[in-house]
Each structure stands twice: as structure tokens, then as C-alpha cells.
Amino acid sequence: MSQKDCTTKLAKSQHLNYEERKIIERQLELGSSKKQIARLLQRDIKTIRAEIKRGMVIQRKTKRYISKHTEDTGYIEYTKYFADVGQKQYKTNRLNCGKKCKIASNRDFVQFAE
């Protein structure tokens, strides 16, 4: 089997960038499925699902007509994906990952050692 006949696909092991998140946002607004978005970006569908979950925000929309029932709040809640929310959450997660500094967490010991 020659190199050009190889059917395995190389994994694109990079994180999503902001431009790709904007594409996801636009495609969701157009009504594309997660599978179509994954094909468009050449990413695994699990990556797209995780990103959509990361960037989802609950929005409120006021109703045109408010019911006379006391439990009616006067608005409708729905979830929407925003690329900037996903990017902000990604950056927050990246800052919190990795090995933590032990000296910073043990101030009493540092003062004792000094």
C-alpha cells in the first residue's frame, strides 16, 4: 500500500480558535446540525458538542402578550450559543489547568521556614 492510498485521516490536534467559534455561531443561527458543522470545520463531532455546551447562555425574550395567570413571568427563556462566551470560558479553563504551585498554598510553612 502506497502513501497516497492510505485511508486513515490524521487528527487535527489543535484547539478551536475564535474564528472557528464564530463559524459555529453563524452555522447554528442558520440551522445547521452539529454533524454538518463538524464536517465543515473538519473536526470531531464531540469537539463541536463540547464547544456548544461551553458557549451556551440562557437568554430571555419578553412575550408579546402577558397572560393573566399569576405564574406567568412575562418572558420566554431559551439557550443560545455565543462565540465570545465560549472563547472566554476556554481561556479561563486554560489558566486553571496544569500543576499548581505548592509554596503559594502553604504560606504558614513559608513563614516558618523564613
Side-chain angles (χ1 to χ4, degrees):
M1 181 161 109
S2 67
Q3 184 69 21
K4 67 180 183 177
D5 294 333
C6 181
T7 58
T8 58
K9 189 168 76 172
L10 294 176
K12 188 177 180 182
S13 61
Q14 295 178 348
H15 296 263
L16 290 172
N17 56 29
Y18 185 66
E19 289 77 24
E20 290 174 321
R21 288 182 173 91
K22 290 298 284 182
I23 291 170
I24 292 172
E25 182 178 349
R26 274 186 252 123
Q27 291 297 319
L28 287 173
E29 287 176 1
L30 293 173
S32 299
S33 69
K34 295 171 188 164
K35 195 172 191 177
Q36 290 172 337
I37 297 170
R39 283 187 195 141
L40 177 70
L41 295 176
Q42 298 178 351
R43 299 293 184 130
D44 190 49
I45 192 166
K46 293 177 187 177
T47 305
I48 303 302
R49 283 186 196 136
E51 179 57 36
I52 291 172
K53 185 178 178 182
R54 179 182 299 124
M56 280 295 199
V57 177
I58 297 174
Q59 296 288 304
R60 289 185 177 174
K61 183 178 182 181
T62 57
K63 294 182 181 178
R64 290 185 181 181
Y65 304 103
I66 300 174
S67 176
K68 293 181 180 180
H69 297 289
T70 57
E71 65 270 357
D72 189 11
T73 58
Y75 57 85
I76 301 169
E77 287 188 350
Y78 63 97
T79 57
K80 186 174 179 182
Y81 174 79
F82 289 103
D84 53 347
V85 173
Q87 183 72 19
K88 183 178 178 183
Q89 186 63 38
Y90 165 74
K91 286 183 179 181
T92 303
N93 292 346
R94 291 294 289 172
L95 288 174
N96 292 333
C97 71
K99 193 172 183 178
K100 306 298 183 248
C101 181
K102 289 184 179 180
I103 293 176
S105 64
N106 295 322
R107 291 186 182 182
D108 295 335
F109 177 72
V110 172
Q111 290 175 352
F112 173 75
E114 287 177 345

